[in-house]
Amino acid sequence: MYCYYDFSLQLQYFTMQINRYIDHTILKPTTLITDIERVCSEAKQYNFAAVCVPPPFIKTAKQQLANTAVKTATVIGFPFGYSAIEAKLAETLLAIVDGADELDMVINLIALKNNDWQYLANEINHIIPAVKQNSKVIKLIIESGVLTDEEIIRCCELYAPAEIDFLKTSTGYAEKGASVHAVELMRKHLPEHIQIKASGGIKTYAFAQELIDAGATRIGCSSSVQIVSEQNEPGA
């Protein structure tokens, strides 16, 4: 007996589903608890990879996302990165206690721009043990939009041996966010097992797709629902 099989369904199944690349993000300083409830509800509806929320809302997000595959992420030393190492460590430990699965930490850009790479090495060496001992994920934000290519490459060389999980382009608060060029440069100079998160100014499916094609494995954005909707449009 002949059985018709719709190969378009198989193709659709294997097509990249961008929702699983997305960290659905809300980090504005005026964030309300209703905002957290909304982004968590959207994250569950669209099955995003994670939500990224301000530290005071970790517990709320964790409760909202209970019994789902969506991870709870937060930020450390955000958005400028110049908090003392001890302060970043304290933030990290508190975030872990509150239930964060993933930690997006801004590196000390003042140290970088003053060519103090030893400070940066010391910073990550203080943070990594707390993250790894608790089996959490760390994403280091280097603010690629304000760095030269040489500085981006040196960040790759410095942080790869520290066994970070992700190198992340941007906070979204600098004058320039994610770029295809920065992602390509990072991918070229990082080991395969270290992933890349692109964030900052990602508002369309087309741009998100470009960044993924360049090597990003996570996309941090607040326009997540719009991006998923655009993927599902004919011709996307």
Side-chain angles (χ1 to χ4, degrees), residues 105-121:
M105 188 185 89
V106 188
I107 68 168
N108 192 311
L109 293 161
I110 288 177
L112 187 155
K113 286 298 184 180
N114 283 277
N115 207 34
D116 193 349
W117 296 91
Q118 183 57 52
Y119 182 97
L120 294 173

Side-chain angles (χ1 to χ4, degrees), residues 223-234:
S223 301
S224 316
V225 174
Q226 176 62 30
I227 287 170
V228 171
S229 299
E230 289 178 10
Q231 181 186 34
N232 295 327
E233 291 176 356

Side-chain angles (χ1 to χ4, degrees), residues 72-215:
T72 300
T74 194
V75 287
I76 306 295
F78 194 85
F80 299 119
Y82 46 48
S83 305
I85 294 172
E86 295 84 356
K88 287 182 179 177
L89 180 57
E91 284 187 69
T92 299
L93 293 171
L94 182 58
I96 291 170
V97 168
D98 284 348
D101 303 300
E102 302 182 354
L103 307 156
D104 292 30
M105 188 185 89
V106 188
I107 68 168
N108 192 311
L109 293 161
I110 288 177
L112 187 155
K113 286 298 184 180
N114 283 277
N115 207 34
D116 193 349
W117 296 91
Q118 183 57 52
Y119 182 97
L120 294 173
N122 190 38
E123 179 179 73
I124 191 59
N125 287 338
H126 274 78
I127 302 298
I128 278 288
V131 175
K132 296 303 180 181
Q133 287 166 13
N134 289 280
S135 302
K136 304 302 181 182
V137 168
I138 186 165
K139 312 181 194 113
L140 278 196
I141 308 172
I142 64 171
E143 206 67 275
S144 59
V146 299
L147 303 184
T148 65
D149 284 3
E150 291 73 19
E151 289 168 336
I152 293 173
I153 292 168
R154 190 155 183 188
C155 283
C156 294
E157 294 170 346
L158 174 66
Y159 293 118
E163 292 299 316
I164 62 171
D165 298 291
F166 287 79
L167 202 61
K168 177 177 170 181
T169 62
S170 323
T171 62
Y173 282 80
E175 53 265 38
K176 184 178 179 183
S179 71
V180 170
H181 174 71
V183 172
E184 289 176 339
L185 194 62
M186 292 159 69
R187 186 67 281 158
K188 181 179 179 181
H189 292 276
L190 286 171
E192 286 186 14
H193 68 279
I194 295 180
Q195 301 183 67
I196 297 170
K197 177 176 173 179
S199 65
I202 306 170
K203 300 182 183 300
T204 67
Y205 167 72
F207 187 35
Q209 180 67 67
E210 284 186 76
L211 293 164
I212 291 168
D213 290 343

Side-chain angles (χ1 to χ4, degrees), residues 56-77:
F57 290 115
I58 295 169
K59 289 182 180 179
T60 301
K62 192 73 173 178
Q63 291 168 356
Q64 293 283 322
L65 298 171
N67 302 314
T68 75
V70 183
K71 302 298 183 183
T72 300
T74 194
V75 287
I76 306 295

Side-chain angles (χ1 to χ4, degrees), residues 34-61:
T34 51
D35 295 324
I36 301 300
E37 292 169 347
R38 173 182 56 79
V39 297
C40 288
S41 176
E42 291 169 346
K44 289 188 287 187
Q45 178 182 352
Y46 291 95
N47 194 25
F48 293 135
V51 295
C52 190
V53 301
F57 290 115
I58 295 169
K59 289 182 180 179
T60 301

